[in-house]
């Protein structure tokens, strides 16, 4: 079977999709104002994580491993938050990497962190 992707019958289309549901919009607005939207939840989590990091690693450097890119890149969001609230801690990030966290065990995480540390040298 052969498919010709340059045929004139195939048109590329692009469109914006907007949720016009007023109830959904109202719920998102309420979540934002009450502090229960994802962004505000992450900010609180990141702030708590920064405190826990300081308590557990002292003055050592550390590696961040995340599982996504783009909008799914929570590790990148954490780095941005650290730069805002605690620049000295952010400067101790030895590297950031991407790994499939759902399939990673402790040995896999350690190996990924070691590779990132070696690449940073």
């Amino acid at each position: 079977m052969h498919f010709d992707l340059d045929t004139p019958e195939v048109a590329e289309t692009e469109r914006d999709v907007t949720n016009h549901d007023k109830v959904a919009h109202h719920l998102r607005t309420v979540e934002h104002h009450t502090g229960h939207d994802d962004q505000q939840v992450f900010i609180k989590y990141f702030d708590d994580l920064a405190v826990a990091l300081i308590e557990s690693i002292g003055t050592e450097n550390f590696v961040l491993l995340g599982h996504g890119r783009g909008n799914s890149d929570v590790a990148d969001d954490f780095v941005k938050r650290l730069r805002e609230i605690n620049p000295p801690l952010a400067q101790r990030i030895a590297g950031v990497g991407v790994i499939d966290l759902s399939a990673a065990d402790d040995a896999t995480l350690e190996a990924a962190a070691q590779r990132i540390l070696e690449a940073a040298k």
Side-chain angles (χ1 to χ4, degrees), residues 6-17:
D6 295 325
T7 60
E9 295 85 29
V10 178
E12 290 188 31
T13 59
E14 181 179 321
R15 60 187 161 149
D16 291 330
V17 178

Side-chain angles (χ1 to χ4, degrees), residues 40-92:
Q40 292 182 37
V41 170
F42 274 134
I43 288 172
K44 167 101 173 79
Y45 174 74
F46 291 158
D47 294 351
D48 293 345
L49 183 57
V51 170
L53 267 172
I54 292 167
E55 291 173 359
S56 66
I57 66 169
T59 60
E60 294 184 41
N61 291 343
F62 60 98
V63 171
L64 291 175
L65 295 172
H67 68 277
R69 295 255 187 239
N71 290 338
S72 298
D73 194 356
V74 178
D76 187 48
D77 292 339
F78 180 56
V79 171
K80 290 175 187 171
R81 182 65 181 165
L82 274 184
R83 288 181 179 145
E84 291 173 14
I85 64 167
N86 195 330
L89 183 60
Q91 291 175 348
R92 295 192 351 231

